Amino acid sequence: MASFLITDVRIFDGEKVVAESGSVLVENGKITKVSSSSSISFDGPTYSKPGHTLLPGLIDAHIHANNGNTVALPQSLRFGVTTVCDLHNEYFNIQKLRQQIEGGDCADLKTTSYAATIENGWPMFVVLALHDSPEVRKEISHWPKLTTPETGRQYVQDRVKENVDYIKLMHESGKFLGKTIDKPSLELQTAIIKEAHAHGLKTIAHSTSLQDTLEILSCGVDGLAHTFIDQAPTTELIEAYKKNNAHCNPTLACMGSATTEGQAQQKRFAHDPRVRELLGEDERERMCACMSFAKASGGKVEHAYETVRRLKEAGVPVIIGSDSAAPAVGTAWGLSAHHELSLFVHECGFTPLEALRAATSLTASRFNFHDRGRIQEGLRADLMLVQGDPTREIDHTLDLRGVWTRGELCSVYRGKV
């Protein structure tokens, strides 16, 4: 693993700016020294970067590398996302992705493996509605078909054997689609959450309506993988989040794609000149399209924005996650994390510093990722170098000049730092 020194650089450590012209020493893939000045001595590769900002690598708290997609992890890394959290995938695909990481030039992967699914529930309902084929049915045949608290507890024990990092639940009635979808019982959901907690695992839940969100929060879940778009937030919702000390990962760009209201912003990010060499043409085309699921049911992305504003005002943790996936048009691995940062700042009242925390140290804290998310001695050297100052102007996060994972420079930036 590489060793190097970055000096004369602004340092955002995941919480705050700790230096306007400081230094960070990386040795054997770990951060070994952080200085507010340029006083670190090092006999090795040195980068002097005045006018640049060094940040922790971003953590995308919500993706799907569906079918073991080999684009997801390299593309995420190119955009400065050094850790991705896959929130539902077949275990055999997770094994493929873990092998891909060993080859280098990939974001690190955190996973739940299979989410806690039921027969004809989410996402089985929508997958079959869009892609019913023998191949898809074979894939779905591997998913859990949970029914009782006992099967829920066994599900968690099976995931523990797969060395997962958290547990993902599905609690979706289909309201945002204008449909009715089978939904797990609260008794089943509570059993899953309690068993996960007994194994020291956090629990994250999919819900996209206010009522579904309130129900799963009543079961004791630790965080939501979306916010809702069917109606405005209520005081009851805010209190439910606070009672659990739960976080919200709102996936705002995804919700804008679902209602089609975000398409203009999607196109702006997809065609930003700075991403031309980082994004494939297929991925660019998908990011410009919309899922449109919620258009007919009258969902509004403003409900999601207002929910985030209210949660932030109440002190509820809100983190960055994109729900990027190949079938989720309107998203792109890596790039959508920058889209989310922009929406936090320009639609939801976050300062750039607050938004950057939501994509680094706060997410690491919420998921118990103790070895990353900050620029601190002893942690992984997962780093992102950008020209300009994103702590004042969030748009500068796309002025990428270097990305490292465990001290290894992403190949796209070799010779460019």
Side-chain angles (χ1 to χ4, degrees), residues 259-321:
T259 69
T260 74
E261 295 166 282
Q263 189 168 38
Q265 292 176 329
Q266 293 161 213
K267 290 181 176 180
R268 177 170 66 84
F269 275 90
H271 292 286
D272 190 307
R274 295 171 294 179
V275 313
R276 186 174 294 115
E277 296 181 4
L278 306 177
L279 192 67
E281 285 305 314
D282 288 346
E283 288 72 30
R284 193 185 323 277
E285 183 178 343
R286 284 199 296 269
M287 186 157 184
C288 292
C290 284
M291 288 181 279
S292 308
F293 289 153
K295 189 175 181 181
S297 64
K300 296 182 182 298
V301 75
E302 175 58 29
H303 294 325
Y305 296 159
E306 180 60 18
T307 299
V308 172
R309 294 181 200 122
R310 291 279 304 278
L311 291 171
K312 177 182 183 296
E313 183 182 9
V316 173
V318 185
I319 64 175
I320 295 284

Side-chain angles (χ1 to χ4, degrees), residues 98-114:
R98 287 171 172 168
Q99 290 174 355
Q100 185 185 13
I101 291 170
E102 292 177 5
D105 236 16
C106 290
D108 194 26
L109 176 72
K110 300 291 187 178
T111 182
T112 186
S113 183
Y114 301 98

Side-chain angles (χ1 to χ4, degrees), residues 127-192:
V127 169
L128 290 176
L130 296 173
H131 308 288
D132 195 352
S133 69
E135 293 78 15
V136 170
R137 286 191 174 271
K138 182 178 180 180
E139 182 179 276
I140 287 175
S141 70
H142 296 280
W143 294 5
K145 311 291 193 301
L146 306 180
T147 54
T148 64
E150 289 73 21
T151 62
R153 286 187 282 269
Q154 184 61 53
Y155 156 82
V156 173
Q157 293 163 22
D158 291 342
R159 302 291 75 75
V160 169
K161 294 174 184 176
E162 294 171 351
N163 195 29
V164 300
D165 301 286
Y166 40 79
I167 292 295
K168 169 76 177 298
L169 300 94
M170 302 294 192
H171 201 71
E172 176 60 59
S173 63
K175 185 174 184 180
F176 86 117
L177 296 171
K179 306 287 185 180
T180 300
I181 299 174
D182 290 345
K183 187 169 57 173
S185 71
L186 298 187
E187 184 183 27
L188 170 59
Q189 303 289 48
T190 300
I192 293 169

Side-chain angles (χ1 to χ4, degrees), residues 182-252:
D182 290 345
K183 187 169 57 173
S185 71
L186 298 187
E187 184 183 27
L188 170 59
Q189 303 289 48
T190 300
I192 293 169
I193 292 167
K194 287 184 176 179
E195 186 70 16
H197 288 169
H199 289 275
L201 293 171
K202 296 275 190 173
T203 54
I204 315 299
H206 165 112
S207 291
T208 59
S209 73
L210 174 60
Q211 184 58 43
D212 293 346
T213 300
L214 288 170
E215 286 179 1
I216 198 65
L217 283 168
S218 76
C219 296
V221 77
D222 299 299
L224 271 293
H226 298 281
T227 191
F228 49 85
I229 50 179
D230 63 315
Q231 63 187 89
T234 63
T235 300
E236 182 185 8
L237 173 84
I238 305 304
E239 292 306 313
Y241 265 101
K242 292 174 72 174
K243 181 179 179 181
N244 278 23
N245 186 30
H247 69 257
C248 177
N249 164 203
T251 64
L252 297 173

